[in-house]
Amino acid sequence: MFTGRVIGSIDSTINHPWYDAKKMLVVEKTDAAGKPSGDYVVAVDTVDAGVGDPVLVLDEGTGARQIVGSTTAPVRSVIVGIIDEVHCPSRAS
Amino acid sequence: MFTGRVIGSIDSTINHPWYDAKKMLVVEKTDAAGKPSGDYVVAVDTVDAGVGDPVLVLDEGTGARQIVGSTTAPVRSVIVGIIDEVHCPSRAS
Amino acid sequence: MFTGRVIGSIDSTINHPWYDAKKMLVVEKTDAAGKPSGDYVVAVDTVDAGVGDPVLVLDEGTGARQIVGSTTAPVRSVIVGIIDEVHCPSRAS
Amino acid sequence: MFTGRVIGSIDSTINHPWYDAKKMLVVEKTDAAGKPSGDYVVAVDTVDAGVGDPVLVLDEGTGARQIVGSTTAPVRSVIVGIIDEVHCPSRAS
Amino acid sequence: MFTGRVIGSIDSTINHPWYDAKKMLVVEKTDAAGKPSGDYVVAVDTVDAGVGDPVLVLDEGTGARQIVGSTTAPVRSVIVGIIDEVHCPSRAS
């Protein structure tokens, strides 16, 4: 799992039917220092996240399918939480 | 899942029979800023994508097998959608 | 599996119910020389680790679910041990 | 899946019995431009590939086990095809 | 799978019981040219490897569990062989 920030969303009309009603968001990963890393994933939203929100992402198929409630969903990455705060003592001192 | 652009296709005559009727495309990943990253995957096409198309790729075996409709297919990466638009407000401002 | 050091924790109120009672820690990976790598994961704590502890992390869904005792848990990364010592002869000589 | 080129083979006498009769090849990955990337995997050969051959590699356990015909084989990477040609229009122009 | 060299071992007293009788080794990955890469994994030893040994590592949960003989073991990386020789013709010429 990793932390990131929602930076956008994706529109796709020609795709697999499972994605039809899903909100697909672009999440830029943050690095160990909490800064944008330049890396990203496209993740299915499950917590009503929006652009700018700091989020927790699970990037594993079987766990992701549990989150979306389907053992056959073609999904790997899901947003599982909106982050209130990351406590990193060494960053603050 | 990640976004990319189809940059080519692969011809292979000596291979596993499952791949015989499959269209295998080379997809260059785009980075968080929407630019080519230099990284790529070879993905099975399921949405009739062609060279130049911006696509959404699922890179996970179990989900990929659901997409191609076989629980035993030797596949990890599939193109699951053609992207109409990526909305990234911070890129536009 | 890899070694790392706990550098922080995460608070999240809007998330999937499975995470409600879990301690989610930020673990910075160490490199082959034992130094911080700048890379990290968010891992579920199972050994009562705290900030500053050197830890061993398992980053694989099925094994992680065994550790947390649930075949359906949406989890990929868990802290499986607190490290007493890493013996690397070539580093010491 | 990714493309690469076979650069060598591995001899190992002390290993798990499953590997005894297997040809293990070193495959250097090619990048999006078709050049050697410096990265590699050790893959089980299933198509009688040899040093110098351009190949297609599947790097996922469950799919790899389907290729080798065993649901319990300790394998992740297999060579699934010898590549005849990679068509990348933008490279040629 | 990839090749590497054992560079050390790990002592951990506070950990998951499955690891109690296991030898956990630090394996530095070698790159495509056979040189140390700076990257590493912590792997369970199954072939009585020691510091300095060139080894073959399997880095996939389901296959790793087959190697250690348990479908529920919390493991992802195992040393599956000690390498006698890597034949790379282009390196020698």
Side-chain angles (χ1 to χ4, degrees), chain B residues 11-93:
Chain B
D11 279 358
S12 173
T13 47
I14 304 175
N15 60 18
H16 188 273
W18 186 82
Y19 298 100
D20 280 352
K22 301 297 181 298
K23 187 166 63 163
M24 305 292 285
L25 297 178
V26 183
V27 180
E28 183 167 17
K29 300 182 186 180
T30 43
D31 63 20
K35 306 294 181 191
S37 71
D39 198 5
Y40 75 100
V41 295
V42 176
V44 173
D45 179 35
T46 66
V47 294
D48 200 21
V51 171
D53 283 341
V55 293
L56 181 63
V57 175
L58 172 65
D59 195 37
E60 193 257 347
T62 303
R65 281 180 281 276
Q66 291 292 335
I67 293 281
V68 300
S70 162
T71 59
T72 62
V75 62
R76 171 176 175 159
S77 312
V78 292
I79 299 175
V80 294
I82 295 180
I83 296 172
D84 295 328
E85 193 170 2
V86 178
H87 301 279
C88 285
S90 65
R91 290 187 199 165
S93 61

Side-chain angles (χ1 to χ4, degrees), chain D:
Chain D
M1 289 95 85
F2 56 86
T3 58
R5 189 171 294 271
V6 179
I7 62 169
S9 59
I10 286 184
D11 279 358
S12 172
T13 48
I14 304 175
N15 59 19
H16 188 273
W18 185 83
Y19 298 100
D20 281 352
K22 300 297 181 299
K23 187 165 64 162
M24 304 291 285
L25 297 177
V26 182
V27 179
E28 183 166 18
K29 300 182 186 180
T30 43
D31 63 20
K35 305 295 180 190
S37 70
D39 198 4
Y40 76 101
V41 295
V42 176
V44 173
D45 179 35
T46 67
V47 293
D48 200 21
V51 171
D53 284 340
V55 294
L56 181 63
V57 175
L58 172 64
D59 194 38
E60 194 256 348
T62 303
R65 281 180 281 276
Q66 291 291 335
I67 294 280
V68 299
S70 162
T71 59
T72 62
V75 60
R76 171 175 174 159
S77 310
V78 293
I79 299 175
V80 294
I82 295 180
I83 295 171
D84 295 329
E85 194 172 359
V86 178
H87 301 278
C88 284
S90 64
R91 290 188 200 165
S93 61

